Each structure stands twice: as C-alpha cells, then as structure tokens.
Amino acid sequence: LPLGILDEDNFDARLDCADIRVGDRIYAYSDGLIEAVNPQGEMFGAARLDALLMSTDGSGSFNTICADLSAFRQGCPQRDDITLIEIECIQPVSVVDHTPLALQGAGALRLRVEFAADRLRQGNSQPDLTRLLEMFPGLGAHRSTLYTVLAELFNNALEHGLLRLDSVLKDAAGGFNEYYRQREQRLLQLEQGSICVELQLSGDSNAGWMRIVVEDSGLGFDYAVTPTTLPMQGLSRRGLALVRSLCLQMEFHAPGNRVEAVYVWSEPELEANADG
C-alpha cells in the first residue's frame, strides 16, 4: 500500500532483501500498467506482465513490455497514470573515492566547464552537475548540500539568464504549469548562449570550503532586489534565498550574469586563503 495510508500499528515496515548480480534487472511499475484495459474491457493484468518478464532473454525487456502494452490497448484511452521503470545492474566502470584528501592553498583543485546551447537543449543537467561534484574528493556528507547550491545557481542562470523566464509566474493559479511550459518551449528554441561553471575546492571532509561560480552569457538582471531570506508566501524567488541560507556568502557581479557562492565547513581556512 502507498506510504501514509495505514497508521503505525498496521503498517508493515519490514524490508525484503535480495542478492543482486551483474546483469539482473529490477522493475517497478504503477498499478496503471496492469490495470490498463483494451476495447473489450479486459485488464492487462499482473500475470501477463510476469509472463513477459519471464519469457524475455533480458535484452530489450522494457521496450518489449511497452510494445505489448500498446498492442494490447489498441488505442483504448488511458484511465490512470502508467509508470514503468527498469534498472539494469551493471558492473561499475569506476569507483569514486570519497576518502578525505588534504588540499593546500586556495587554488588546490579547480575545475571550469562550459555548457553550450546544444548541451543545454537536452534539458536535464542533473547528471552533468552530479558528475562534476564526483570529480572532487573529500566532500563527504557535504556533497548533497553542494549539489543543491550548484543546481540552484545553474537553473537560475539557465531559466532567468538565458531563457528570460519570470519566476513571478509561479505565484499565480496554475503558474507552475505555465512556467514550465514556457521553459520547455524556450529551451527547445535555444540556439545561442552558454553557462560556465567553475568549482574550487580546498580542504577535506573535516575542514574546508568550496567556491562555486556560475556565469551565463545573458544580459543579467537587477540583482540588488534578490531576497536575502526565504519568502514566507509565494513560490517564486526561493532558490537564491535558499543558497544564501546554506552558504557563507553569495555575491552577484555586474551586470548580474555572474554569481559566486562559498560553502564553508572551516571558516578559518577560508579567511586565510580566500584572497587567491
């Protein structure tokens, strides 16, 4: 049953454990899949899905299920959401070293990457930003917070710097849908523009800091009016306020298309090295 339906006395929180081997595949699906119907009112059913999974040789299973479902429905209208996820267990190509690495000096480890328009049009920057942070050792428990900061600054540069979206749209009724409709439309039309990301690390998981600089090729904006605290009402302008709350400092540079944030877990070291 979905989480939240049963009270604590009736909810069974025990876990089922299974050994996973290279080549295994894990499938997760919503009930909309097995309850999909054909023109005769017959349900697709769990037995049909199980038969498909058991009969395949493991290659193209996801596509096989999708094709069989489409043929079964024969164009019959969809009555519920249909979600199907396939996770293939592969041999790791490499293992990221998360052990602390002592770094000395403000310029100890620095990385600069430029995202061109053709890359931005793909619409999903999460894997790229995650890989950037994985290149830095010694982040430890700070990695997830650093991703939040980096993603917020990157999305701000993309959506407002390059796509010129107005976040005030989110405050209106149905505003989120309209905001992301415009985002998708403008992203597909993006022919020029770029976003540069620069990451600079000093220290290790016990003591250190990271400077995150994001610069877009847009016209900038009036950064003097950006909120310093999370708004109590409304859904717009919350991202930058969140970054300010997480970082020691966040500063925009004229004309507003370059922002620099410093996340610290050792303030004395930052003060000694921040002049570099």
Side-chain angles (χ1 to χ4, degrees), residues 38-268:
N38 61 14
Q40 290 74 43
E42 178 188 3
M43 286 190 178
F44 189 76
R48 186 188 305 269
L49 176 61
D50 290 343
L52 285 171
L53 293 173
M54 296 300 293
S55 65
T56 181
D57 60 1
S59 60
S61 300
F62 183 90
N63 292 333
T64 301
I65 296 171
C66 292
D68 194 83
L69 176 64
S70 179
F72 172 82
R73 290 173 57 200
Q74 301 178 45
C76 190
Q78 183 174 326
R79 301 189 305 185
D80 195 2
D81 66 281
I82 298 176
T83 301
L84 174 65
I85 301 172
E86 178 188 67
I87 304 172
E88 183 178 2
C89 303
I90 62 174
Q91 183 69 40
V93 181
S94 62
V95 178
V96 178
D97 182 10
H98 294 295
T99 58
L101 174 67
L103 302 173
Q104 302 297 328
L109 193 57
R110 178 178 296 178
L111 176 67
R112 179 179 174 86
V113 177
E114 180 176 355
F115 294 81
D118 56 349
R119 185 69 176 181
L120 296 173
R121 277 199 308 273
Q122 297 180 15
N124 183 14
S125 60
Q126 178 179 349
D128 291 331
L129 300 182
T130 299
R131 281 191 288 268
L132 289 183
L133 288 175
E134 287 179 345
M135 298 178 69
F136 289 86
L139 298 181
H142 305 287
R143 192 177 301 274
S144 61
T145 304
L146 284 166
Y147 174 80
T148 298
V149 173
L150 175 58
E152 287 290 348
L153 295 181
F154 186 93
N155 288 331
N156 185 74
L158 174 63
E159 296 175 2
H160 306 303
L162 297 185
L163 303 183
R164 309 301 295 173
L165 289 166
D166 188 350
S167 61
V168 177
L169 276 173
K170 298 177 183 178
D171 292 337
F176 256 97
N177 290 336
E178 177 60 18
Y179 182 89
Y180 284 103
R181 185 195 69 79
Q182 292 189 23
R183 184 186 190 277
E184 182 177 0
Q185 180 183 51
R186 297 186 189 187
L187 194 58
L188 291 174
Q189 297 171 348
L190 185 66
E191 297 293 338
Q192 296 180 337
S194 63
I195 297 176
C196 289
V197 174
E198 182 176 323
L199 304 177
Q200 180 183 346
L201 170 69
S202 181
D204 56 34
S205 58
N206 296 316
W209 55 268
M210 175 173 276
R211 177 179 284 108
I212 299 175
V213 180
V214 178
E215 181 176 3
D216 64 77
S217 59
L219 300 176
F221 74 109
D222 185 7
Y223 52 89
V225 299
T226 56
T228 58
T229 58
L230 285 172
M232 297 299 294
Q233 296 180 341
L235 298 174
S236 63
R237 300 176 294 275
R238 300 179 65 88
L240 293 180
L242 174 62
V243 172
R244 288 187 189 274
S245 70
L246 294 174
C247 295
L248 175 69
Q249 63 186 52
M250 187 189 82
E251 180 181 2
F252 278 93
H253 300 272
N257 63 341
R258 176 183 170 90
V259 61
E260 177 179 335
V262 180
Y263 178 83
V264 179
W265 54 102
S266 175
E267 194 166 334

